Amino acid sequence: MSNPTFAPLTPPRRVLMGPGPSDTHPRVLAALGAATVGHLDPYFLQVMTETQTMLRQVFRTANELTLAVSGTGSAGMEACVVNLIEPGDKMVVCVNGVFGGRMADVAARAGAQVTVVERPFGEIFDASQIAEVVERVRPKVVGIVHAETSTGAHQPLEDISKVVHAVGGLLLADTVTSLGGVPVEVDAWQLDAVYSGSQKCLSCPPGLAPVTFSPRAVSSIERRRTKVASWYLDMTLVRNYWGQDRAYHHTAPINMNYALREALCVTLDEGLDARFARHAQNHRALKAGLAALGISYAVAEGVQLSMLNAVVIPPGVDDARTRRQLLEEFGIEIGGGLGPMKGKTWRIGLMGETSQPRNVLLFLAALERCLGDQGFGCPPGAGVAAANDFYRRRTA
Ligand SMILES: *Cc1c(COP(=O)(O)O)cnc(C)c1O
């Protein structure tokens, strides 16, 4: 008998152009409905092994300790911090947006002596600024966000990795938004602890956090004097489940892991370089269209993320009204500003499966309508025409 109170679940079909989750591939959604097996079933163990192999390819690493934490991107952040930090350890956290701020909070809760180094929201860090701080503080760990989803800024990591290692520190990087959308070179850049999330450029529903730890990070974990503060996220326990022993730790979310496996297959079938190029191309088309509407980016040219376009809301345009109209009339979700950028910016995501010409064109056409309805004077059709022009020139 059906429940008399609640109708069957029928979520609306959206175009997910916010800061995550992104649109999913049908193959990924189908995996969520596949038969659940036990978490120690040989079939599932095979799925875990395949997932690890593909995660290493996506992270471009040979790191043995590479797995998917059962939890969202924030669980990946906590996992990296609590495994590397013991009470009293020094950690430098680079804060130029909301997620860097969250990392500083997580580090302090883990008992780290935190030194925050700041840039204004939307700007990036220069290796020399970090060098000055790490030479003075001599931290065990430096934490930094590769793709700051709150501001749309793309932080280069390679030179910062060198200055951190020069003082014997470990570099912890947040690649939640970057992984699968722009290059993340864990081995080439010598990143020591890296976490991501399933729902951004990997285009899987939220619920898993890929992580990877360098041999240097693993030996630091093995030298701990105290137990990891979180039982659930303790890599010395979790790795026995994902490693040879297959010792029960917690029940892995089986179907979520199926979905991540499929999302990784889709990503690698496309090819990482092709995927990065697709993200870059659709970002440029969107930018051409927005420029024709007189809308500019909130971060400087050269540091803009392709998958997260933070743009300045034109004066006189109502933020909430525009986003509501986009959602209700066109089924398009975009993000508002976070922190000090609240009410000032929109965050337009072109992550993973969402990064398609049809979504760029649909969004621009819908935005033109919303702006027109508010009397914002832009030439009708100018945004769509500019984006089409960009695509036409690319294929000519
Ligand atoms: C989304 C995001 C997170 C948090 O991930 P959740 O899945 O929401 O827990 C952390 N860092 C960055 C840069 C993000 O974009």
Side-chain angles (χ1 to χ4, degrees):
M1 234 182 76
S2 69
N3 185 312
T5 314
F6 298 109
L9 189 69
T10 50
R13 292 188 57 179
R14 304 295 195 203
V15 181
L16 297 175
M17 299 185 72
S22 57
D23 289 344
T24 43
H25 191 281
R27 184 170 159 187
V28 173
L29 277 188
L32 290 169
T36 305
V37 298
H39 70 102
L40 293 174
D41 190 300
Y43 185 81
F44 188 66
L45 300 182
Q46 180 65 26
V47 167
M48 292 168 86
T49 304
E50 290 168 358
T51 299
Q52 284 181 295
T53 301
M54 289 190 284
L55 281 177
R56 289 188 189 106
Q57 289 173 32
V58 170
F59 273 129
R60 287 186 166 152
T61 183
N63 288 344
E64 165 114 31
L65 186 53
T66 302
L67 52 83
V69 168
S70 304
T72 67
S74 304
M77 181 188 286
E78 297 238 32
C80 289
V81 172
V82 296
N83 280 276
L84 296 181
I85 291 293
E86 294 191 67
D89 282 345
K90 291 179 186 161
M91 178 162 172
V92 167
V93 183
C94 304
V95 180
N96 59 349
V98 167
F99 292 103
R102 183 178 295 181
M103 199 194 291
D105 186 5
V106 167
R109 287 169 193 244
Q113 273 186 60
V114 180
T115 303
V116 167
V117 36
E118 287 182 286
R119 297 293 307 165
F121 273 45
E123 292 185 13
I124 57 167
F125 292 91
D126 188 78
S128 62
Q129 183 184 3
I130 307 301
E132 186 273 311
V133 176
V134 296
E135 277 158 23
R136 181 162 44 82
V137 177
R138 301 260 153 189
K140 179 177 182 187
V141 181
V142 175
I144 194 162
V145 179
H146 188 211
E148 196 24 282
T149 321
S150 64
T151 69
H154 189 173
Q155 172 68 55
L157 297 178
E158 205 173 0
D159 291 343
I160 289 175
S161 174
K162 289 185 186 130
V163 306
V164 171
H165 291 132
V167 299
L170 297 167
L171 185 61
L172 192 175
D174 175 322
T175 67
V176 176
T177 281
S178 51
L179 192 69
V182 291
V184 174
E185 298 281 351
V186 171
D187 285 1
W189 299 344
Q190 298 197 36
L191 311 179
D192 294 300
V194 184
Y195 61 92
S196 190
S198 52
Q199 78 275 25
K200 310 234 172 157
C201 292
L202 297 176
S203 281
C204 180
L208 290 175
V211 296
T212 186
F213 293 86
S214 72
R216 208 174 4 222
V218 170
S219 62
S220 158
I221 294 169
E222 284 166 352
R223 284 196 311 271
R224 290 179 65 100
R225 287 160 283 111
T226 59
K227 281 189 175 179
V228 174
S230 162
W231 177 87
Y232 191 67
L233 299 173
D234 183 344
M235 286 299 132
T236 68
L237 303 174
V238 175
R239 74 171 173 184
N240 294 331
Y241 177 37
W242 281 82
Q244 294 297 312
D245 293 357
R246 302 297 187 182
Y248 167 66
H249 176 255
H250 65 278
T251 309
I254 305 294
N255 293 56
M256 269 311 301
N257 277 279
Y258 290 168
L260 179 61
R261 179 201 181 274
E262 294 300 281
L264 292 167
C265 287
V266 170
T267 299
L268 293 168
D269 283 351
E270 178 177 13
L272 289 176
D273 291 336
R275 196 174 176 89
F276 303 151
R278 171 165 64 80
H279 279 82
Q281 167 141 341
N282 291 314
H283 157 73
R284 284 194 217 109
L286 176 69
K287 184 155 55 174
L290 290 169
L293 299 178
I295 295 177
S296 59
Y297 276 63
V299 291
E301 190 72 40
V303 298
Q304 296 165 0
L305 288 168
S306 57
M307 71 289 282
L308 196 285
N309 298 267
V311 303
V312 181
I313 301 173
V317 171
D318 185 325
D319 172 22
R321 175 178 163 186
T322 308
R323 285 190 286 126
R324 197 179 328 113
Q325 189 177 0
L326 285 170
L327 191 71
E328 288 174 1
E329 257 178 68
F330 302 98
I332 299 171
E333 176 183 276
I334 65 165
L338 270 189
M341 296 176 125
K342 189 170 160 50
K344 296 184 184 139
T345 61
W346 287 320
R347 292 180 301 148
I348 307 157
L350 288 172
M351 298 181 175
E353 289 298 312
T354 302
S355 177
Q356 307 291 348
R358 64 164 185 264
N359 291 333
V360 170
L361 296 171
L362 171 70
F363 170 74
L364 288 167
L367 184 65
E368 286 179 9
R369 256 288 301 288
C370 298
L371 296 177
D373 287 357
Q374 293 182 47
F376 178 77
C378 56
V384 172
N388 265 326
D389 217 46
F390 173 86
Y391 286 126
R392 211 175 287 120
R393 270 185 280 116
R394 295 286 299 192
T395 51

